[in-house]
Amino acid sequence: MLREGATAQYGSDAIAGVLNYGLRDDQGIELVGRAGQYYDGDGESYQIAGNAGLKSDFGFINVTGECYDEKQTSRGVTRPSAANFAASFPALAPQLPNYPLPVQIWGSSPSHGYKAVVNSAINVTEDSKIYFFGNYAKNKGNQSFNYRAPVSSTAVDSNGVVRNQGANGAFNNTFFLTPCPAGNATCPAGGFVRDGNTFRFAQLYPAGFTPRFVGETEERYGVLGYKGTAGKFSYDVSGTLARNKLSLSMYSSANFSYGPATQTSFEFGDLIQKEMNFNADFTYAADIDFAAPLTISAGAEYRKETYEQTAGDPQSYGAEPYAVAQQLYDQTAPGVYILSGATAAQGVGASGYAGTSPATAGKFSQKNYGAYVGLETDITDAFTVGAAGRYEHYNTFGDAWVGKVNALYKIADALSIRGSFGTGFHAPSPGQSNVSIVTTSFNNGVAFQSGTYPTNNPVAQYYGATNLTPEKSTNYGLGFILEPLSAMTITVDGYQIDLRNRIGLTSPFIVTAADLAAQPSLLPVGVDGQVQYFTNGFKTRTRGVDVVAT
């Protein structure tokens, strides 16, 4: 593990350190099976995994695979609004979501999937090899959203306070389905006749509904490289392709703005992240008049990162006839109508999550290249020093320079001290700069729409958004190594990471009627909805001490 300014060697992603993992290259066969469940009798869990490896003078290949199935757990009680409904309408109680379990599941969500990893190498010469490793994984999870009650009721909370268990607003609305007659001057186009041709959402969901949110991930990753040594010189050249796709959908939901024409299942589109990397790393051990050779390391990298959002079903994001209030007319005589009122406007998009529209779909890319140089040597048998520096150029925001210095001094055979100082940076990803999501949230049982918008979107800019800039860090470390016995080593390291321009979501902005009038693009969120966007708005300091005994 490296904490100190690891961006100097590894680049933007290592702003506060880096962990290196080793892949298996051993020979043999290993099989693992697991089955179990929780004491309460739910949450069944099954897993089958295996590893097989072959080695020879030509190289090796090692393959690991796993498949698993995790059932859901339920650790909550049903909501008071559902209990009240069951007591008031016993004949409809079996139509409550998840009946006889709670209408809203609190616990582990069900998931199943499989994954595979291959690690391999072919020896080209005694001192060089071609290597390849990659993985493929797929997972599908299913999560319970909040319950939408069809009727209002009251309940007493744990503090003895009577609280309203409000019905979802769509259940309180009557949708009038007869349009005004064509060409009638007293009942204009776009109006509706107040008659018995109506629809209420209780006809679709008599006992309310609980949307189920489904996410399916597919991951692909592969690295092909060539590495070796030639005397005091070593090299490693590689290319990487990676892709991660998240497909989102929902069932047992509705788009209220479509009234009786609503779907109950929705495809929201895909969120896709792609990366392409080319790396070249070199080291050389130069003999100079020090206690050890000077290790010179250098390297270069090219990277292209692409974030993509694909459009969902039209109804998943759409705002259709009932997104605006219906103007209602009563017939007072044959062919004569008078305006008699209006219905409530309905929320747009699927209840729980709004899909990606063609307006926000698209691909967003970022390219960068970088180079680094590092030096490390033992000046004396007791004193080791090192330094590294890195330059990066991004087509989205420009240049960045980072560096680090480190040293270790051996006071005695059993005691050494070490320290480091470094700087780091982290470039905002195309996803952070371009994400666009609208979800349904709840506050004290009242539903509202919450939108996260790209910094270049008119909605975000209306609330003050500016383009994201890189995060920057300063890293400090100081510690000692103690070897009290020949077979024991104890290390104690203190560290501090100061992070500036940290990227995170803003506090929510509450949408008012005036905001909606000034910025019509706020319609998917609506009045009393909330808006957020990513911003460089935070400064953090992390301090810690690591103690390791071996």
Side-chain angles (χ1 to χ4, degrees):
M1 176 181 175
L2 295 176
R3 300 185 209 87
E4 67 288 345
T7 54
Q9 293 108 320
Y10 290 85
S12 174
D13 289 339
I15 185 172
V18 65
L19 289 172
N20 285 321
Y21 293 91
L23 297 175
R24 293 183 65 164
D25 60 4
D26 54 325
Q27 177 168 299
I29 296 176
E30 179 181 352
L31 296 174
V32 177
R34 174 178 58 79
Q37 68 177 35
Y38 284 94
Y39 180 80
D40 286 354
D42 61 1
E44 295 94 336
S45 177
Y46 306 97
Q47 180 193 52
I48 299 174
N51 174 267
L54 292 173
K55 297 186 74 170
S56 73
D57 294 338
F58 295 101
F60 73 90
I61 183 169
N62 189 282
V63 179
T64 301
E66 173 187 298
C67 61
Y68 56 92
D69 188 8
E70 311 284 345
K71 307 297 184 182
Q72 80 174 13
T73 62
S74 179
R75 294 294 178 270
V77 297
T78 202
R79 298 182 71 93
S81 56
N84 292 344
F85 181 88
S88 300
F89 307 97
L92 294 177
Q95 296 190 50
L96 286 165
N98 306 314
Y99 184 84
L101 293 175
V103 292
Q104 183 175 327
I105 302 298
W106 294 98
S108 300
S109 299
S111 66
H112 62 272
Y114 54 89
K115 59 186 73 171
V117 177
V118 60
N119 184 31
S120 61
I122 299 174
N123 297 325
V124 179
T125 68
E126 284 189 10
D127 300 315
S128 67
K129 61 184 177 182
I130 297 173
Y131 62 89
F132 170 79
F133 60 89
N135 79 288
Y136 180 84
K138 201 163 188 177
N139 175 75
K140 187 173 185 178
N142 184 323
Q143 183 181 8
S144 172
F145 266 34
N146 285 284
Y147 172 60
R148 277 71 164 155
V151 297
S152 296
S153 61
T154 58
V156 180
D157 68 13
S158 58
N159 296 317
V161 178
V162 177
R163 296 193 179 276
N164 179 50
Q165 303 291 306
N168 185 281
F171 286 94
N172 295 329
N173 198 52
T174 298
F175 298 81
F176 292 87
L177 307 181
T178 303
C180 284
N184 188 292
T186 59
C187 192
F192 290 83
V193 177
R194 190 195 295 269
D195 61 13
N197 184 19
T198 62
F199 170 80
R200 294 179 64 90
F201 268 100
Q203 297 168 232
L204 180 63
Y205 292 116
F209 65 100
T210 300
R212 298 289 303 203
F213 193 54
V214 179
E216 186 170 352
T217 61
E218 182 185 49
E219 302 172 19
R220 304 174 187 174
Y221 181 85
V223 178
L224 179 66
Y226 181 58
K227 65 189 299 184
T229 59
K232 299 177 181 179
F233 178 73
S234 65
Y235 53 90
D236 187 346
V237 180
S238 65
T240 302
L241 292 175
R243 182 177 187 268
N244 190 321
K245 181 177 75 170
L246 172 61
S247 301
L248 300 174
S249 61
M250 180 176 283
Y251 62 92
S252 297
S253 183
N255 183 335
F256 301 135
S257 73
Y258 279 80
T262 181
Q263 299 172 190
T264 57
S265 297
F266 304 88
E267 299 288 337
F268 295 128
D270 299 332
L271 306 178
I272 303 170
Q273 176 81 4
K274 296 179 182 178
E275 293 184 10
M276 178 175 63
N277 280 60
F278 296 100
N279 292 86
D281 298 283
F282 309 95
T283 61
Y284 179 75
D287 290 322
I288 56 177
D289 194 18
F290 286 153
L294 174 65
T295 300
I296 304 171
S297 59
E301 177 183 32
Y302 171 80
R303 181 177 186 180
K304 181 180 179 182
E305 188 177 359
T306 302
Y307 173 73
E308 180 181 1
Q309 295 183 162
T310 66
D313 294 340
Q315 281 205 19
S316 72
Y317 58 82
E320 277 306 301
Y322 306 107
V324 296
Q326 288 183 283
Q327 300 302 305
L328 303 179
Y329 293 82
D330 285 334
Q331 185 174 11
T332 58
V336 179
Y337 298 83
I338 61 169
L339 181 66
S340 58
T343 64
Q346 298 301 302
V348 304
S351 178
Y353 189 97
T356 301
S357 70
T360 55
K363 288 184 179 181
F364 312 93
S365 294
Q366 177 172 273
K367 302 176 184 178
N368 74 287
Y369 56 84
Y372 74 91
V373 175
L375 304 171
E376 189 159 14
T377 188
D378 295 341
I379 296 179
T380 69
D381 290 337
F383 187 36
T384 300
V385 295
R390 186 180 184 96
Y391 165 76
E392 293 269 357
H393 175 79
Y394 282 77
N395 70 322
T396 49
F397 66 82
D399 302 333
W401 293 86
V402 294
K404 78 162 190 175
V405 293
N406 59 278
L408 181 147
Y409 185 69
K410 190 172 185 179
I411 299 173
D413 289 342
L415 178 63
S416 301
I417 59 173
R418 60 186 178 185
S420 64
F421 170 81
T423 58
F425 79 104
H426 181 258
S429 70
Q432 287 174 317
S433 298
N434 295 283
V435 64
S436 180
I437 292 174
V438 177
T439 62
T440 302
S441 299
F442 286 80
N443 183 17
N444 293 325
V446 179
F448 64 90
Q449 297 296 94
S450 177
T452 301
Y453 288 90
T455 55
N456 60 0
N457 185 281
V459 169
Q461 293 182 347
Y462 175 80
Y463 288 101
T466 58
N467 291 336
L468 295 176
T469 60
E471 301 172 326
K472 297 181 180 180
S473 71
T474 306
N475 303 262
Y476 311 86
L478 184 64
F480 64 85
I481 305 168
L482 184 64
E483 298 180 85
L485 302 171
S486 60
M488 174 178 280
T489 301
I490 301 171
T491 63
V492 179
D493 292 283
Y495 60 91
Q496 177 174 302
I497 303 168
D498 292 333
L499 194 55
R500 306 176 300 282
N501 298 330
R502 188 165 188 167
I503 297 172
L505 285 171
T506 62
S507 297
F509 296 93
I510 309 301
V511 178
T512 66
D515 294 329
L516 184 58
Q519 185 53 257
S521 298
L522 283 166
L523 179 62
V525 176
V527 176
D528 296 328
Q530 297 184 0
V531 169
Q532 292 177 287
Y533 54 85
F534 281 101
T535 182
N536 294 97
F538 305 91
K539 178 190 288 187
T540 64
R541 170 171 288 173
T542 303
R543 289 172 171 160
V545 177
D546 286 349
V547 181
V548 180
T550 305

